Amino acid sequence: MLEVRDLTVLYDQAPAVVQASLNLPTGQVLAVLGPSGCGKSTLLRAVAGLEPPASGTVSWDGRDLSGVPTHKRGFALMFQDGQLFNHLTVARNIAYPLRIRRRPRSAQRVAELLALVGLDGFADRLPATLSGGERQRVALARSLAADPRLLLLDEPLSALDAGLRERLAADLRVIVRAAGTTALFVTHDHEEAFAVADRIAVMRAGRIVQHGDLDAVWRAPVDAETALFLGYSRVLEGQAAARVWAAGGSSRRSAHDTPGSPSRTSGTIPPGEVAVRRSALRLDPTGPLTGRVISARVTPLQVRVVVSIDGVGEIDAVAPLDQHPGVGETVRLAADHTRMAVIAAALGPGSL
Ligand code: ADP
Ligand code: MG
């Protein structure tokens, strides 16, 4: 397994990565999620041995890798633009890492890899004849060719358009799983992180601010900024948080709660800060909240509504497509606790 301990990387005294710690069990996929410039690529390069740490360690299965050069770490790197050799066919691009390692039976391995990434029949094509998504699949196959013990992916989908990115994110997960490779994946896109990874590390200004299983991080972001970066649409505090949280307490879902589980649906704990998804509030004639419609807009899946609720203010909500509330109309709303998160830092000790 990969272990990064208190890693700091400086560029001319300026810290790009600050005391970052994370671990990645063998066979899992970890996404490092953070905004542009927060130090993701630097972290990845330090793990690969391309940037020397100012302090801290990178180790694999307990062995400290400082002093082990990049090509001896057994890691593979893949970038946003797959950096294929344009004069070589797809098959030769994929076979390249095998050739430089003088591995036998590379033709068979290339065929396996082409099948793995869904490009059977592409062996003799030149990169210039491929779509962006196909090029990234070839780059992925090439990265996997030499059976790296760790695959390092630096925003591998960022150069693709939205629809393709979504499909390839799902494929990437399937491919990396099928290959059985451990992977560290950096991205600024939370949807990509959720589509690909088992674990997530949220990075900000060079620091890892939260690290854990995907759903644990999603259910309890450490602070408001992290919640917004993870894709929650708003963070409520004080009375607004308390009102919306309490409104979830009477939702039908609370009947399914495990007895004795934390009273997250009881509405009794003062929540401090609560992160809400757009769909946490939905129009429901039996809901406990009353609001006035500020705007309503039809989207392919639902009607997106902005409502003004006493004691909460203006907030997003959703309605089914067969309801299109008019501006100014008074509506009732229900809240769904499964689409909210209590901000961990706002809770007192022992309250979770
Ligand atoms: P990210 O990948 O999250 O966008 P980077 O790791 O590329 O972030 O950059 C982190 C910080 O380090 C940025 O402020 C960037 O300007 C700086 N940086 C990156 N590479 C270099 C370099 N080679 N020399 C000096 N500063 C750098
Ligand atoms: Mg980067």
Side-chain angles (χ1 to χ4, degrees):
M1 93 169 204
L2 173 74
E3 207 173 352
V4 175
R5 271 293 144 263
D6 293 327
L7 188 76
T8 296
V9 182
L10 307 173
Y11 290 117
D12 303 326
Q13 312 300 323
V17 174
V18 186
Q19 294 191 318
S21 295
L22 48 86
N23 50 61
L24 172 55
T26 302
Q28 292 204 4
V29 181
L30 169 71
V32 174
L33 173 68
S36 176
C38 75
K40 302 181 296 295
S41 296
T42 305
L43 174 66
L44 213 63
R45 291 171 55 80
V47 168
L50 295 166
E51 276 326 320
S55 59
T57 54
V58 174
S59 48
W60 183 267
D61 286 346
R63 183 180 167 210
D64 185 348
L65 296 179
S66 42
V68 178
T70 301
H71 67 279
K72 296 224 165 115
R73 293 192 177 197
F75 299 169
L77 264 157
M78 178 180 160
F79 299 98
Q80 185 175 332
D81 54 338
Q83 301 184 333
L84 300 179
F85 300 113
N86 284 321
H87 62 291
L88 297 181
T89 61
V90 164
R92 285 175 154 264
N93 264 287
I94 296 174
Y96 187 80
L98 302 171
R99 277 228 329 269
I100 58 176
R101 287 174 181 77
R102 299 178 201 289
R103 296 264 180 97
R105 288 186 299 139
S106 73
Q108 186 190 331
R109 179 76 181 129
V110 168
E112 280 169 23
L113 288 159
L114 280 171
L116 179 69
V117 298
L119 291 180
D120 277 320
F122 281 67
D124 298 325
R125 298 270 290 269
L126 283 169
T129 71
L130 303 177
S131 72
E134 288 160 355
R135 270 201 294 276
Q136 285 306 76
R137 286 171 193 271
V138 175
L140 182 60
R142 187 179 60 182
S143 306
L144 291 167
D147 292 315
R149 51 188 186 172
L150 176 66
L151 181 61
L152 301 167
L153 302 150
D154 194 344
E155 312 231 16
L157 309 176
S158 295
L160 307 174
D161 59 62
L164 184 58
R165 195 161 66 220
E166 199 175 309
R167 255 181 299 146
L168 205 52
D171 288 355
L172 183 61
R173 178 175 174 82
V174 172
I175 292 166
V176 169
R177 297 234 131 209
T181 308
T182 310
L184 177 58
F185 167 74
V186 312
T187 179
H188 66 276
D189 182 324
H190 59 89
E191 285 184 17
E192 220 169 276
F194 283 102
V196 179
D198 306 298
R199 293 163 69 75
I200 192 167
V202 181
M203 195 169 185
R204 197 158 71 219
R207 295 179 184 272
I208 305 285
V209 295
Q210 191 170 10
H211 173 213
D213 285 341
L214 214 58
D215 64 323
V217 171
W218 174 251
R219 276 190 280 107
V222 284
D223 55 29
E225 202 174 339
T226 301
L228 295 172
F229 203 74
L230 287 170
Y232 284 93
S233 68
R234 276 279 293 282
V235 176
L236 304 172
E237 43 186 39
Q239 193 202 356
R243 285 208 73 172
V244 169
W245 185 261
S250 59
S251 73
R252 265 159 291 167
R253 284 177 193 278
S254 56
H256 302 297
D257 271 8
T258 325
S261 71
S263 57
R264 294 191 126 220
T265 52
S266 72
T268 55
I269 52 167
E273 284 182 311
V274 172
V276 290
R277 293 174 71 175
R278 173 184 289 282
S279 56
L281 285 176
R282 53 181 59 242
L283 269 60
D284 178 340
T286 66
L289 293 169
T290 305
R292 191 169 47 82
V293 175
I294 303 293
S295 68
R297 191 165 60 84
V298 177
T299 69
L301 292 177
Q302 59 203 358
V303 182
R304 290 183 167 194
V305 186
V306 176
V307 290
S308 173
I309 299 174
D310 275 350
V312 176
E314 288 190 13
I315 188 166
D316 292 317
V318 296
L321 279 175
D322 58 4
Q323 287 178 31
H324 195 180
V327 171
E329 200 176 304
T330 298
V331 291
R332 298 194 74 89
L333 301 112
D336 180 352
H337 274 162
T338 65
R339 292 157 194 267
M340 302 180 206
V342 176
I343 303 287
L347 291 168
S351 52
L352 257 185

